[in-house]
Amino acid sequence: MVANKKSLWSILLILSLVGILFTGCSTNNTASNTPTPTENNTTPENTTEPETEPSADEPVDGGAIVLGTFSDIVTVNPIFVNDTSSGDVVQFLFAKLYDLDREGNVAVEPWSLAAELPQISEDGLTYTVKLKDTAKWSDGQPVTADDLIYTFDTVRNPDTGSPGISQFDKVDKIAKVDDLTVNITLKQVYAPFQYTLVTELVPSHILKDIPVKELQKDPYGTDPAKTVTNGPWKWTQWKQGESHTMDLDPNYWGAKKPHIQQVVYKIYADQNTEVQALLKGDVDHVSAIPVTQVEAVKANDKIGIIQKPGQSYEYVGFNFDPKNFPDNYGLFDGQKTRQAIAYAINRQGMVDNILKGIGVLMNAPFLPDTWADPKDAAVNYAYDPEKAKQLLAEDGWVAGKDGILEKDGHRFSFELQYNAGNSRREQVAAVIQQNLKDVGIEVKPKGIDFAAWIDQNVNPGKFQAILLAWSLNTPDPDAESIYSSKYFPPAGQNVGWYKNEKLDQLWVDGYSTVDQAKRQEIYKEVAKEISTDLPYVFLYQYGNAIGSGPRVHWKEEDRPEPSLGYGYFFHLINWWVTE
């Protein structure tokens, strides 16, 4: 039976978060098991809508689904994906080694590359992975152990510059048992490694002869004609800034075949235009409806909305590399200065007024109501402009003639970058600008095209401050790749060049045991330290409002799952469309 959408959504809204389903958040979403920065702009709401019921009770084959977005990709080479839009497209083109079920457990699906769950040695150091003998690349070549070995070895090579290195550099060696079986031995116990295996592979026979330092510039991942994939759909066309077209691979190897013949990923100028396309029927599915547009979408009884707390948190990230500032003078070097900024920002006001009361304040990089939630162990920064002014004065800042603070001959003025077209971030940036002006700090908000911003500013760590979110893509709370000084650009996601030796060690301590109670105590220490030192001002947890038009159908077990990374396409291989 096809689920009744009203009752289904009512259930979804009652459910609590499954857990932290991504390892971190940064400027974009990755398709790997690393945190990814996200450009999405939605918030969870506790309402249900509407009563539309699908017109077809059983799947039909054929047709096209049109998906909406407001950002183009950077690359679909899984080794380098580090943004939401790129990760979205990867979902259709590449099979994962393992997948996640709705509860966030590692699973073997008919469309997974693995034949069975990994076998783990008693000491927790060796994982045996066996591939299906049916899996093939789009050029007809088999998916083999060589592809797994090449992918893992390339990602963990620092010369590659892969954002996923922090999950793969725990590997000591990979031994090929036969063409379909490998033994992966870790250097030490790494509790989240099972989620590292929820990853895409790339074709060794296509890429093995390319020097790793040249791999990112290779057309594989940016030229559809030269990008061999192994998922249900093939990448057939990219009109830059306009759309991506993915057609069903007639030779797709999976035991479960897609119903939908074609996936079109259409790019709009901004979120408001994207939502208007959904309302007009030009788009079938939008994964990020801005909170300002939710009521308008609800008013259309032909469109269903799923809303549920998500796996993303927003933040203001500081840059600690002095080269990004005039005269190499780092504005954010003082801990009291960073704490003052946290006190000066009215975070609760943002939740109340911009997020319409839907959102949960955060003080550390662990989602509320998950097992790693530190609760009171983290320092809370209530809105207190006077406290902010006091801390700034203690840190040596003095008001200049125009009221803007100065120190050592430098004005406290900085650029706050965010992605253009994100209506929520435009509003949040404006609030930050006014809040900090009230305490003597000049903020210059700057919206930049998402793909260009990620590629040219965020990933290489070339900015002064950023307004961004992390979308967490596994249930494990380890976020070493974002906050450890081992992972500065280009081979890492610590794009703000933050260094704290105590935290560096705490992250290692946290993943070096599988005892959850012990890990929980370590992450409380992480929360206390990180919320005191503040590489970020943590803002709030938010979620994505998902909208689907009347042409889109799924059975209850295949409905979108907002609490999972890329869960807005959960089991899309089983969806179908009708005219």
Side-chain angles (χ1 to χ4, degrees):
M1 287 291 294
V2 177
N4 178 287
K5 286 189 175 180
K6 182 174 181 179
S7 62
L8 166 61
W9 291 324
S10 300
I11 293 169
L12 281 172
L13 296 169
I14 294 170
L15 292 175
S16 62
L17 273 177
V18 171
I20 298 181
L21 300 175
F22 286 75
T23 56
C25 301
S26 108
T27 55
N28 47 15
N29 280 346
T30 60
S32 67
N33 294 312
T34 58
T36 54
T38 175
E39 79 272 27
N40 285 343
N41 169 18
T42 55
T43 52
E45 294 204 3
N46 296 318
T47 56
T48 65
E49 297 291 336
E51 300 187 30
T52 306
E53 187 164 347
S55 59
D57 288 337
E58 291 300 326
V60 294
D61 292 339
I65 186 171
V66 181
L67 311 174
T69 185
F70 64 102
S71 298
D72 207 342
I73 70 162
V74 178
T75 177
V76 298
N77 183 339
I79 289 174
F80 298 107
V81 167
N82 192 36
D83 67 276
T84 310
S85 293
S86 298
D88 282 351
V89 175
V90 163
Q91 302 304 301
F92 312 112
L93 303 179
F94 289 87
K96 287 184 171 65
L97 187 58
Y98 293 96
D99 285 272
L100 294 176
D101 65 17
R102 192 175 297 279
E103 286 70 43
N105 302 308
V106 176
V108 175
E109 301 284 8
W111 47 87
S112 304
L113 295 172
E116 58 189 37
L117 289 172
Q119 298 176 21
I120 307 173
S121 62
E122 289 187 10
D123 60 8
L125 293 179
T126 300
Y127 290 68
T128 300
V129 175
K130 187 174 183 61
L131 298 169
K132 290 172 180 165
D133 60 6
T134 53
K136 286 183 170 47
W137 295 100
S138 55
D139 63 0
Q141 292 297 309
V143 177
T144 70
D146 292 334
D147 300 313
L148 189 155
I149 294 168
Y150 172 81
T151 302
F152 280 41
D153 282 347
T154 303
V155 174
R156 68 191 181 110
N157 185 341
D159 290 336
T160 304
S162 172
I165 189 173
S166 67
Q167 277 66 50
F168 291 83
D169 65 359
K170 312 302 187 294
V171 174
D172 181 35
K173 58 184 178 181
I174 308 177
K176 180 177 178 180
V177 178
D178 56 44
D179 284 346
L180 296 174
T181 311
V182 297
N183 288 331
I184 306 167
T185 303
L186 307 183
K187 299 174 184 176
Q188 63 175 89
V189 171
Y190 180 56
F193 190 69
Q194 61 172 320
Y195 300 111
T196 300
L197 298 175
V198 182
T199 190
E200 297 83 7
L201 303 183
V202 295
S204 173
H205 68 282
I206 298 295
L207 302 177
K208 64 182 180 180
D209 295 327
I210 302 170
V212 293
K213 290 185 177 181
E214 299 175 16
L215 192 59
Q216 195 163 8
K217 296 179 181 179
D218 189 82
Y220 184 90
T222 57
D223 183 346
K226 297 181 179 179
T227 305
V228 174
T229 57
N230 57 13
W233 295 273
K234 295 194 296 184
W235 193 25
T236 52
Q237 187 178 60
W238 177 15
K239 294 181 180 179
Q240 292 195 13
E242 295 183 18
S243 66
H244 296 266
T245 301
M246 291 153 278
D247 290 302
L248 179 64
D249 184 350
N251 299 315
Y252 173 59
W253 55 271
K256 176 69 183 67
K257 311 297 183 184
H259 299 297
I260 295 172
Q261 178 74 27
Q262 186 179 74
V263 178
V264 178
Y265 192 67
K266 201 167 182 179
I267 303 158
Y268 290 87
D270 53 48
Q271 286 180 306
N272 293 332
T273 307
E274 178 188 358
V275 171
Q276 288 304 309
L278 175 66
L279 293 171
K280 289 189 291 185
D282 294 337
V283 165
D284 296 310
H285 188 79
V286 169
S287 60
I289 300 174
V291 67
T292 54
Q293 296 276 13
V294 168
E295 291 304 319
V297 176
K298 286 180 181 177
N300 187 323
D301 62 5
K302 294 181 179 179
I303 298 173
I305 290 185
I306 295 178
Q307 296 171 286
K308 182 179 175 182
Q311 76 297 343
S312 301
Y313 66 86
E314 200 126 65
Y315 64 89
V316 175
F318 302 119
N319 200 312
F320 297 90
D321 183 353
K323 293 195 295 292
N324 290 289
F325 300 88
D327 302 322
N328 293 322
Y329 188 85
L331 294 176
F332 306 118
D333 288 349
Q335 186 186 82
K336 288 185 176 181
T337 293
R338 301 192 296 276
Q339 293 174 344
I341 291 174
Y343 278 117
I345 296 176
N346 188 354
R347 300 183 299 153
Q348 188 61 52
M350 293 173 181
V351 171
D352 294 341
N353 300 310
I354 298 175
L355 308 188
K356 308 302 181 185
I358 307 301
V360 182
L361 294 184
M362 289 180 57
N363 299 304
F366 308 113
L367 292 184
D369 298 325
T370 60
W371 67 262
D373 181 0
K375 300 188 183 298
D376 294 340
V379 179
N380 179 54
Y381 293 88
Y383 178 51
D384 191 341
E386 295 307 312
K387 178 69 171 178
K389 291 177 183 177
Q390 173 192 333
L391 288 170
L392 288 165
E394 290 177 5
D395 217 15
W397 293 98
V398 180
K401 293 180 181 180
D402 60 355
I404 301 301
L405 297 174
E406 296 180 352
K407 181 180 178 180
D408 301 329
H410 297 274
R411 293 177 80 247
F412 205 154
S413 174
F414 66 90
E415 181 179 84
L416 177 64
Q417 298 180 1
Y418 62 95
N419 55 305
N422 187 309
S423 58
R424 184 190 67 251
R425 287 195 187 129
E426 290 172 354
Q427 297 177 67
V428 170
V431 170
I432 293 171
Q433 182 183 37
Q434 183 59 55
N435 287 166
L436 295 191
K437 182 180 179 182
D438 292 342
V439 298
I441 300 172
E442 181 181 60
V443 178
K444 295 176 284 188
K446 184 176 182 180
I448 307 173
D449 173 73
F450 187 76
W453 181 46
I454 297 302
D455 189 44
Q456 299 170 22
N457 298 90
V458 177
N459 286 347
K462 295 179 180 179
F463 56 85
Q464 294 179 349
I466 53 175
L467 174 60
L468 197 56
W470 280 114
S471 188
L472 309 181
N473 57 358
T474 79
D476 197 275
D478 175 50
E480 182 190 36
S481 67
I482 304 174
Y483 301 103
S484 173
S485 60
K486 290 192 292 186
Y487 300 110
F488 289 148
Q493 294 180 304
N494 184 355
V495 296
W497 307 92
Y498 173 66
K499 184 173 184 178
N500 180 319
E501 292 181 357
K502 180 179 179 180
L503 275 175
D504 286 355
Q505 185 58 49
L506 283 171
W507 290 117
V508 175
D509 295 343
Y511 62 62
S512 297
T513 176
V514 296
D515 187 311
Q516 191 173 102
K518 292 180 180 179
R519 296 187 76 197
Q520 188 176 44
E521 291 305 309
I522 293 169
Y523 291 133
K524 284 183 180 180
E525 286 299 310
V526 170
K528 180 179 179 181
E529 179 65 22
I530 205 167
S531 62
T532 300
D533 204 36
L534 290 183
Y536 290 176
V537 174
F538 298 94
L539 298 178
Y540 43 74
Q541 175 199 16
Y542 69 99
N544 294 328
I546 303 168
S548 293
R551 297 180 63 251
V552 183
H553 307 277
W554 56 73
K555 294 192 176 184
E556 193 278 337
E557 63 267 25
D558 301 316
R559 70 182 185 268
E561 180 48 64
S563 66
L564 289 173
Y566 302 106
Y568 35 84
F569 300 139
F570 187 71
H571 287 189
L572 187 136
I573 196 171
N574 291 331
W575 298 7
W576 69 97
V577 293
T578 56
E579 296 306 322

